Amino acid sequence: MNAHRIRRSIVAIAAAAVLPLAVTACSSDSSDTAATEATAPVNNEQDTTPEPTEDATQADAPFGTACADVPEEGDGSFDGMAEDPVATAASNNPELSTLVDAVDQADLVDTLNNSEDITVFAPTNDAFDKLPEDDLKALLADKDELTKVLTYHVVGERLAPSDLEDGEFETLETSKLTTSGSDEEYQVNDESNIVCGNVQTSNATVYIVDTVLMPKS
């Protein structure tokens, strides 16, 4: 055997010895990678919290032509009123000053502020002005009758706009009032229009109305 054949044999033997080592190394790397991938934490969680829809947002918002008169900022704004109980919130709205005075004269401030989850149909100053002057003076001077009229404007639960579409509710005065309407146009007892509705305070939902509600005798 000449020198050339001897060198070829040595090269072949060396290659045969190295090949298994290379295969083993590759196999080890693949196994390690597979093991790492198998044990690596997989975060497949997705945030499934639904985003509020435009319709839901609008359903929660105050509505009505008179809502434009509410200040955008301060205690008398919608955000400000939401932080106060209902009698306090009303006192920050200049359009409800007659109602606020009447509630004070009837000693109902604490009653309204300390009640939980009520609905108040709040007459505007213009609503009180619709009453004959002598009748209004007589009403404000008669605490028992004034209390009866004011508590007739209060329902002992929070009412959403959808509840008003065709409703009948017992008031704190103990007699009932009715509501009707749809699409942000509602009436109480078929005579008093809601001019700014779904106003939230810390303990009540308020519907501002353009006519004073009178309980049936």
Side-chain angles (χ1 to χ4, degrees), residues 176-206:
K176 295 182 179 181
L177 57 75
T178 61
T179 59
S180 60
S182 62
D183 297 330
E184 302 185 355
E185 293 186 4
Y186 298 94
Q187 285 190 323
V188 185
N189 290 348
D190 296 323
E191 61 179 353
S192 186
N193 298 302
I194 293 175
V195 293
C196 184
N198 207 27
V199 178
Q200 302 300 316
T201 74
S202 64
N203 69 325
T205 299
V206 178

PDB file of all heavy atoms in Angstrom, residues 176-206:
ATOM      1  N   LYS A 176    -100.393  57.020  42.830  1.00  0.00           N
ATOM      2  CA  LYS A 176     -99.588  56.642  41.672  1.00  0.00           C
ATOM      3  C   LYS A 176     -99.543  57.739  40.615  1.00  0.00           C
ATOM      4  O   LYS A 176    -100.457  58.546  40.487  1.00  0.00           O
ATOM      5  CB  LYS A 176    -100.132  55.349  41.058  1.00  0.00           C
ATOM      6  CG  LYS A 176    -100.007  54.141  41.977  1.00  0.00           C
ATOM      7  CD  LYS A 176    -100.514  52.882  41.307  1.00  0.00           C
ATOM      8  CE  LYS A 176    -100.354  51.683  42.235  1.00  0.00           C
ATOM      9  NZ  LYS A 176    -100.829  50.417  41.584  1.00  0.00           N
ATOM     10  N   LEU A 177     -98.435  57.723  39.855  1.00  0.00           N
ATOM     11  CA  LEU A 177     -98.320  58.562  38.659  1.00  0.00           C
ATOM     12  C   LEU A 177     -98.010  57.652  37.480  1.00  0.00           C
ATOM     13  O   LEU A 177     -97.553  56.514  37.655  1.00  0.00           O
ATOM     14  CB  LEU A 177     -97.262  59.646  38.821  1.00  0.00           C
ATOM     15  CG  LEU A 177     -95.801  59.281  39.157  1.00  0.00           C
ATOM     16  CD1 LEU A 177     -95.049  58.718  37.966  1.00  0.00           C
ATOM     17  CD2 LEU A 177     -95.073  60.507  39.688  1.00  0.00           C
ATOM     18  N   THR A 178     -98.288  58.145  36.283  1.00  0.00           N
ATOM     19  CA  THR A 178     -98.040  57.361  35.079  1.00  0.00           C
ATOM     20  C   THR A 178     -97.034  58.070  34.183  1.00  0.00           C
ATOM     21  O   THR A 178     -96.902  59.300  34.226  1.00  0.00           O
ATOM     22  CB  THR A 178     -99.341  57.129  34.288  1.00  0.00           C
ATOM     23  OG1 THR A 178     -99.873  58.398  33.887  1.00  0.00           O
ATOM     24  CG2 THR A 178    -100.354  56.381  35.130  1.00  0.00           C
ATOM     25  N   THR A 179     -96.330  57.294  33.386  1.00  0.00           N
ATOM     26  CA  THR A 179     -95.368  57.849  32.427  1.00  0.00           C
ATOM     27  C   THR A 179     -95.591  57.190  31.072  1.00  0.00           C
ATOM     28  O   THR A 179     -96.061  56.051  30.984  1.00  0.00           O
ATOM     29  CB  THR A 179     -93.916  57.597  32.874  1.00  0.00           C
ATOM     30  OG1 THR A 179     -93.699  56.173  33.012  1.00  0.00           O
ATOM     31  CG2 THR A 179     -93.626  58.272  34.198  1.00  0.00           C
ATOM     32  N   SER A 180     -95.244  57.912  30.027  1.00  0.00           N
ATOM     33  CA  SER A 180     -95.383  57.372  28.675  1.00  0.00           C
ATOM     34  C   SER A 180     -94.408  58.093  27.750  1.00  0.00           C
ATOM     35  O   SER A 180     -93.900  59.170  28.068  1.00  0.00           O
ATOM     36  CB  SER A 180     -96.821  57.545  28.165  1.00  0.00           C
ATOM     37  OG  SER A 180     -97.164  58.924  28.148  1.00  0.00           O
ATOM     38  N   GLY A 181     -94.168  57.470  26.582  1.00  0.00           N
ATOM     39  CA  GLY A 181     -93.301  58.102  25.583  1.00  0.00           C
ATOM     40  C   GLY A 181     -92.193  57.180  25.124  1.00  0.00           C
ATOM     41  O   GLY A 181     -92.137  55.998  25.490  1.00  0.00           O
ATOM     42  N   SER A 182     -91.298  57.724  24.324  1.00  0.00           N
ATOM     43  CA  SER A 182     -90.151  56.978  23.802  1.00  0.00           C
ATOM     44  C   SER A 182     -89.216  57.962  23.106  1.00  0.00           C
ATOM     45  O   SER A 182     -89.566  59.138  22.901  1.00  0.00           O
ATOM     46  CB  SER A 182     -90.598  55.902  22.796  1.00  0.00           C
ATOM     47  OG  SER A 182     -91.239  56.499  21.670  1.00  0.00           O
ATOM     48  N   ASP A 183     -88.027  57.456  22.732  1.00  0.00           N
ATOM     49  CA  ASP A 183     -87.083  58.259  21.945  1.00  0.00           C
ATOM     50  C   ASP A 183     -86.813  59.634  22.565  1.00  0.00           C
ATOM     51  O   ASP A 183     -86.838  60.660  21.881  1.00  0.00           O
ATOM     52  CB  ASP A 183     -87.584  58.434  20.505  1.00  0.00           C
ATOM     53  CG  ASP A 183     -87.691  57.108  19.778  1.00  0.00           C
ATOM     54  OD1 ASP A 183     -86.905  56.190  20.105  1.00  0.00           O
ATOM     55  OD2 ASP A 183     -88.553  56.977  18.901  1.00  0.00           O
ATOM     56  N   GLU A 184     -86.587  59.640  23.876  1.00  0.00           N
ATOM     57  CA  GLU A 184     -86.230  60.857  24.605  1.00  0.00           C
ATOM     58  C   GLU A 184     -87.359  61.880  24.669  1.00  0.00           C
ATOM     59  O   GLU A 184     -87.140  63.050  24.978  1.00  0.00           O
ATOM     60  CB  GLU A 184     -84.962  61.492  24.029  1.00  0.00           C
ATOM     61  CG  GLU A 184     -83.761  60.542  24.063  1.00  0.00           C
ATOM     62  CD  GLU A 184     -82.482  61.206  23.611  1.00  0.00           C
ATOM     63  OE1 GLU A 184     -82.530  62.376  23.181  1.00  0.00           O
ATOM     64  OE2 GLU A 184     -81.425  60.567  23.689  1.00  0.00           O
ATOM     65  N   GLU A 185     -88.581  61.469  24.395  1.00  0.00           N
ATOM     66  CA  GLU A 185     -89.746  62.333  24.542  1.00  0.00           C
ATOM     67  C   GLU A 185     -90.745  61.622  25.442  1.00  0.00           C
ATOM     68  O   GLU A 185     -91.400  60.667  25.030  1.00  0.00           O
ATOM     69  CB  GLU A 185     -90.364  62.663  23.177  1.00  0.00           C
ATOM     70  CG  GLU A 185     -89.465  63.521  22.289  1.00  0.00           C
ATOM     71  CD  GLU A 185     -90.160  63.942  21.005  1.00  0.00           C
ATOM     72  OE1 GLU A 185     -91.370  63.625  20.864  1.00  0.00           O
ATOM     73  OE2 GLU A 185     -89.507  64.575  20.161  1.00  0.00           O
ATOM     74  N   TYR A 186     -90.840  62.101  26.683  1.00  0.00           N
ATOM     75  CA  TYR A 186     -91.666  61.425  27.677  1.00  0.00           C
ATOM     76  C   TYR A 186     -92.581  62.418  28.384  1.00  0.00           C
ATOM     77  O   TYR A 186     -92.256  63.603  28.506  1.00  0.00           O
ATOM     78  CB  TYR A 186     -90.783  60.728  28.725  1.00  0.00           C
ATOM     79  CG  TYR A 186     -89.894  59.649  28.141  1.00  0.00           C
ATOM     80  CD1 TYR A 186     -88.589  59.938  27.760  1.00  0.00           C
ATOM     81  CD2 TYR A 186     -90.371  58.352  27.980  1.00  0.00           C
ATOM     82  CE1 TYR A 186     -87.775  58.948  27.229  1.00  0.00           C
ATOM     83  CE2 TYR A 186     -89.557  57.355  27.450  1.00  0.00           C
ATOM     84  CZ  TYR A 186     -88.265  57.654  27.078  1.00  0.00           C
ATOM     85  OH  TYR A 186     -87.455  56.686  26.547  1.00  0.00           O
ATOM     86  N   GLN A 187     -93.708  61.914  28.857  1.00  0.00           N
ATOM     87  CA  GLN A 187     -94.650  62.702  29.632  1.00  0.00           C
ATOM     88  C   GLN A 187     -94.972  61.997  30.944  1.00  0.00           C
ATOM     89  O   GLN A 187     -94.893  60.764  31.032  1.00  0.00           O
ATOM     90  CB  GLN A 187     -95.950  62.926  28.854  1.00  0.00           C
ATOM     91  CG  GLN A 187     -95.847  63.958  27.742  1.00  0.00           C
ATOM     92  CD  GLN A 187     -97.216  64.303  27.186  1.00  0.00           C
ATOM     93  OE1 GLN A 187     -98.098  63.467  27.063  1.00  0.00           O
ATOM     94  NE2 GLN A 187     -97.413  65.577  26.864  1.00  0.00           N
ATOM     95  N   VAL A 188     -95.331  62.799  31.929  1.00  0.00           N
ATOM     96  CA  VAL A 188     -95.795  62.270  33.206  1.00  0.00           C
ATOM     97  C   VAL A 188     -97.245  62.682  33.372  1.00  0.00           C
ATOM     98  O   VAL A 188     -97.597  63.865  33.191  1.00  0.00           O
ATOM     99  CB  VAL A 188     -94.944  62.818  34.371  1.00  0.00           C
ATOM    100  CG1 VAL A 188     -95.363  62.145  35.685  1.00  0.00           C
ATOM    101  CG2 VAL A 188     -93.459  62.601  34.110  1.00  0.00           C
ATOM    102  N   ASN A 189     -98.102  61.702  33.666  1.00  0.00           N
ATOM    103  CA  ASN A 189     -99.553  61.938  33.803  1.00  0.00           C
ATOM    104  C   ASN A 189    -100.155  62.604  32.570  1.00  0.00           C
ATOM    105  O   ASN A 189    -101.145  63.345  32.662  1.00  0.00           O
ATOM    106  CB  ASN A 189     -99.848  62.793  35.036  1.00  0.00           C
ATOM    107  CG  ASN A 189     -99.598  62.034  36.336  1.00  0.00           C
ATOM    108  OD1 ASN A 189     -99.422  60.817  36.328  1.00  0.00           O
ATOM    109  ND2 ASN A 189     -99.575  62.749  37.445  1.00  0.00           N
ATOM    110  N   ASP A 190     -99.550  62.362  31.415  1.00  0.00           N
ATOM    111  CA  ASP A 190    -100.057  62.888  30.133  1.00  0.00           C
ATOM    112  C   ASP A 190    -100.148  64.405  30.093  1.00  0.00           C
ATOM    113  O   ASP A 190    -100.850  64.966  29.238  1.00  0.00           O
ATOM    114  CB  ASP A 190    -101.456  62.303  29.820  1.00  0.00           C
ATOM    115  CG  ASP A 190    -101.423  60.802  29.619  1.00  0.00           C
ATOM    116  OD1 ASP A 190    -100.433  60.304  29.046  1.00  0.00           O
ATOM    117  OD2 ASP A 190    -102.370  60.121  30.054  1.00  0.00           O
ATOM    118  N   GLU A 191     -99.458  65.100  30.997  1.00  0.00           N
ATOM    119  CA  GLU A 191     -99.565  66.558  31.011  1.00  0.00           C
ATOM    120  C   GLU A 191     -98.242  67.268  31.231  1.00  0.00           C
ATOM    121  O   GLU A 191     -98.082  68.420  30.845  1.00  0.00           O
ATOM    122  CB  GLU A 191    -100.552  66.993  32.111  1.00  0.00           C
ATOM    123  CG  GLU A 191    -100.126  66.567  33.504  1.00  0.00           C
ATOM    124  CD  GLU A 191    -101.097  67.029  34.570  1.00  0.00           C
ATOM    125  OE1 GLU A 191    -102.024  67.798  34.221  1.00  0.00           O
ATOM    126  OE2 GLU A 191    -100.930  66.622  35.735  1.00  0.00           O
ATOM    127  N   SER A 192     -97.297  66.604  31.855  1.00  0.00           N
ATOM    128  CA  SER A 192     -96.026  67.240  32.182  1.00  0.00           C
ATOM    129  C   SER A 192     -94.911  66.613  31.348  1.00  0.00           C
ATOM    130  O   SER A 192     -94.696  65.400  31.392  1.00  0.00           O
ATOM    131  CB  SER A 192     -95.724  67.065  33.673  1.00  0.00           C
ATOM    132  OG  SER A 192     -94.571  67.798  34.045  1.00  0.00           O
ATOM    133  N   ASN A 193     -94.215  67.455  30.574  1.00  0.00           N
ATOM    134  CA  ASN A 193     -93.150  66.955  29.702  1.00  0.00           C
ATOM    135  C   ASN A 193     -91.820  66.903  30.437  1.00  0.00           C
ATOM    136  O   ASN A 193     -91.480  67.812  31.208  1.00  0.00           O
ATOM    137  CB  ASN A 193     -93.007  67.866  28.479  1.00  0.00           C
ATOM    138  CG  ASN A 193     -94.256  67.899  27.636  1.00  0.00           C
ATOM    139  OD1 ASN A 193     -94.729  66.870  27.162  1.00  0.00           O
ATOM    140  ND2 ASN A 193     -94.812  69.090  27.447  1.00  0.00           N
ATOM    141  N   ILE A 194     -91.072  65.858  30.172  1.00  0.00           N
ATOM    142  CA  ILE A 194     -89.704  65.784  30.695  1.00  0.00           C
ATOM    143  C   ILE A 194     -88.810  66.594  29.763  1.00  0.00           C
ATOM    144  O   ILE A 194     -88.674  66.270  28.583  1.00  0.00           O
ATOM    145  CB  ILE A 194     -89.235  64.322  30.783  1.00  0.00           C
ATOM    146  CG1 ILE A 194     -90.050  63.579  31.845  1.00  0.00           C
ATOM    147  CG2 ILE A 194     -87.742  64.257  31.102  1.00  0.00           C
ATOM    148  CD1 ILE A 194     -89.758  62.099  31.937  1.00  0.00           C
ATOM    149  N   VAL A 195     -88.216  67.642  30.291  1.00  0.00           N
ATOM    150  CA  VAL A 195     -87.419  68.547  29.463  1.00  0.00           C
ATOM    151  C   VAL A 195     -85.915  68.306  29.620  1.00  0.00           C
ATOM    152  O   VAL A 195     -85.123  68.763  28.801  1.00  0.00           O
ATOM    153  CB  VAL A 195     -87.750  70.021  29.774  1.00  0.00           C
ATOM    154  CG1 VAL A 195     -89.180  70.336  29.348  1.00  0.00           C
ATOM    155  CG2 VAL A 195     -87.543  70.351  31.250  1.00  0.00           C
ATOM    156  N   CYS A 196     -85.524  67.621  30.663  1.00  0.00           N
ATOM    157  CA  CYS A 196     -84.133  67.179  30.819  1.00  0.00           C
ATOM    158  C   CYS A 196     -84.166  65.946  31.708  1.00  0.00           C
ATOM    159  O   CYS A 196     -84.475  66.044  32.899  1.00  0.00           O
ATOM    160  CB  CYS A 196     -83.250  68.273  31.434  1.00  0.00           C
ATOM    161  SG  CYS A 196     -81.493  67.815  31.556  1.00  0.00           S
ATOM    162  N   GLY A 197     -83.873  64.813  31.116  1.00  0.00           N
ATOM    163  CA  GLY A 197     -84.050  63.560  31.847  1.00  0.00           C
ATOM    164  C   GLY A 197     -82.776  62.771  32.039  1.00  0.00           C
ATOM    165  O   GLY A 197     -81.745  63.038  31.428  1.00  0.00           O
ATOM    166  N   ASN A 198     -82.880  61.776  32.940  1.00  0.00           N
ATOM    167  CA  ASN A 198     -81.781  60.858  33.224  1.00  0.00           C
ATOM    168  C   ASN A 198     -80.575  61.578  33.830  1.00  0.00           C
ATOM    169  O   ASN A 198     -79.432  61.240  33.547  1.00  0.00           O
ATOM    170  CB  ASN A 198     -81.367  60.100  31.966  1.00  0.00           C
ATOM    171  CG  ASN A 198     -80.743  58.756  32.279  1.00  0.00           C
ATOM    172  OD1 ASN A 198     -81.035  58.156  33.302  1.00  0.00           O
ATOM    173  ND2 ASN A 198     -79.880  58.291  31.400  1.00  0.00           N
ATOM    174  N   VAL A 199     -80.836  62.575  34.653  1.00  0.00           N
ATOM    175  CA  VAL A 199     -79.774  63.298  35.356  1.00  0.00           C
ATOM    176  C   VAL A 199     -79.458  62.527  36.638  1.00  0.00           C
ATOM    177  O   VAL A 199     -80.358  62.239  37.439  1.00  0.00           O
ATOM    178  CB  VAL A 199     -80.216  64.731  35.706  1.00  0.00           C
ATOM    179  CG1 VAL A 199     -79.113  65.457  36.474  1.00  0.00           C
ATOM    180  CG2 VAL A 199     -80.587  65.491  34.435  1.00  0.00           C
ATOM    181  N   GLN A 200     -78.198  62.197  36.827  1.00  0.00           N
ATOM    182  CA  GLN A 200     -77.808  61.372  37.966  1.00  0.00           C
ATOM    183  C   GLN A 200     -77.255  62.209  39.119  1.00  0.00           C
ATOM    184  O   GLN A 200     -76.459  63.122  38.910  1.00  0.00           O
ATOM    185  CB  GLN A 200     -76.750  60.357  37.536  1.00  0.00           C
ATOM    186  CG  GLN A 200     -77.185  59.432  36.408  1.00  0.00           C
ATOM    187  CD  GLN A 200     -78.408  58.612  36.773  1.00  0.00           C
ATOM    188  OE1 GLN A 200     -78.517  58.078  37.865  1.00  0.00           O
ATOM    189  NE2 GLN A 200     -79.352  58.507  35.839  1.00  0.00           N
ATOM    190  N   THR A 201     -77.722  61.904  40.326  1.00  0.00           N
ATOM    191  CA  THR A 201     -77.087  62.422  41.537  1.00  0.00           C
ATOM    192  C   THR A 201     -76.572  61.205  42.300  1.00  0.00           C
ATOM    193  O   THR A 201     -76.748  60.064  41.868  1.00  0.00           O
ATOM    194  CB  THR A 201     -78.075  63.225  42.408  1.00  0.00           C
ATOM    195  OG1 THR A 201     -78.975  62.329  43.071  1.00  0.00           O
ATOM    196  CG2 THR A 201     -78.853  64.225  41.562  1.00  0.00           C
ATOM    197  N   SER A 202     -75.948  61.445  43.455  1.00  0.00           N
ATOM    198  CA  SER A 202     -75.350  60.306  44.163  1.00  0.00           C
ATOM    199  C   SER A 202     -76.394  59.322  44.684  1.00  0.00           C
ATOM    200  O   SER A 202     -76.076  58.153  44.908  1.00  0.00           O
ATOM    201  CB  SER A 202     -74.487  60.809  45.323  1.00  0.00           C
ATOM    202  OG  SER A 202     -75.275  61.482  46.294  1.00  0.00           O
ATOM    203  N   ASN A 203     -77.631  59.770  44.855  1.00  0.00           N
ATOM    204  CA  ASN A 203     -78.642  58.851  45.388  1.00  0.00           C
ATOM    205  C   ASN A 203     -79.947  58.832  44.593  1.00  0.00           C
ATOM    206  O   ASN A 203     -80.917  58.199  45.026  1.00  0.00           O
ATOM    207  CB  ASN A 203     -78.960  59.210  46.851  1.00  0.00           C
ATOM    208  CG  ASN A 203     -79.706  60.539  46.986  1.00  0.00           C
ATOM    209  OD1 ASN A 203     -79.464  61.471  46.219  1.00  0.00           O
ATOM    210  ND2 ASN A 203     -80.608  60.627  47.951  1.00  0.00           N
ATOM    211  N   ALA A 204     -79.979  59.521  43.457  1.00  0.00           N
ATOM    212  CA  ALA A 204     -81.251  59.607  42.732  1.00  0.00           C
ATOM    213  C   ALA A 204     -81.034  59.806  41.233  1.00  0.00           C
ATOM    214  O   ALA A 204     -79.975  60.260  40.793  1.00  0.00           O
ATOM    215  CB  ALA A 204     -82.094  60.765  43.277  1.00  0.00           C
ATOM    216  N   THR A 205     -82.073  59.449  40.489  1.00  0.00           N
ATOM    217  CA  THR A 205     -82.163  59.814  39.073  1.00  0.00           C
ATOM    218  C   THR A 205     -83.227  60.903  38.972  1.00  0.00           C
ATOM    219  O   THR A 205     -84.317  60.772  39.537  1.00  0.00           O
ATOM    220  CB  THR A 205     -82.566  58.612  38.212  1.00  0.00           C
ATOM    221  OG1 THR A 205     -81.565  57.590  38.337  1.00  0.00           O
ATOM    222  CG2 THR A 205     -82.690  59.006  36.746  1.00  0.00           C
ATOM    223  N   VAL A 206     -82.899  61.976  38.272  1.00  0.00           N
ATOM    224  CA  VAL A 206     -83.782  63.141  38.211  1.00  0.00           C
ATOM    225  C   VAL A 206     -84.304  63.339  36.793  1.00  0.00           C
ATOM    226  O   VAL A 206     -83.542  63.251  35.821  1.00  0.00           O
ATOM    227  CB  VAL A 206     -83.047  64.417  38.679  1.00  0.00           C
ATOM    228  CG1 VAL A 206     -83.954  65.632  38.574  1.00  0.00           C
ATOM    229  CG2 VAL A 206     -82.549  64.249  40.115  1.00  0.00           C
TER     230      VAL A 206
END
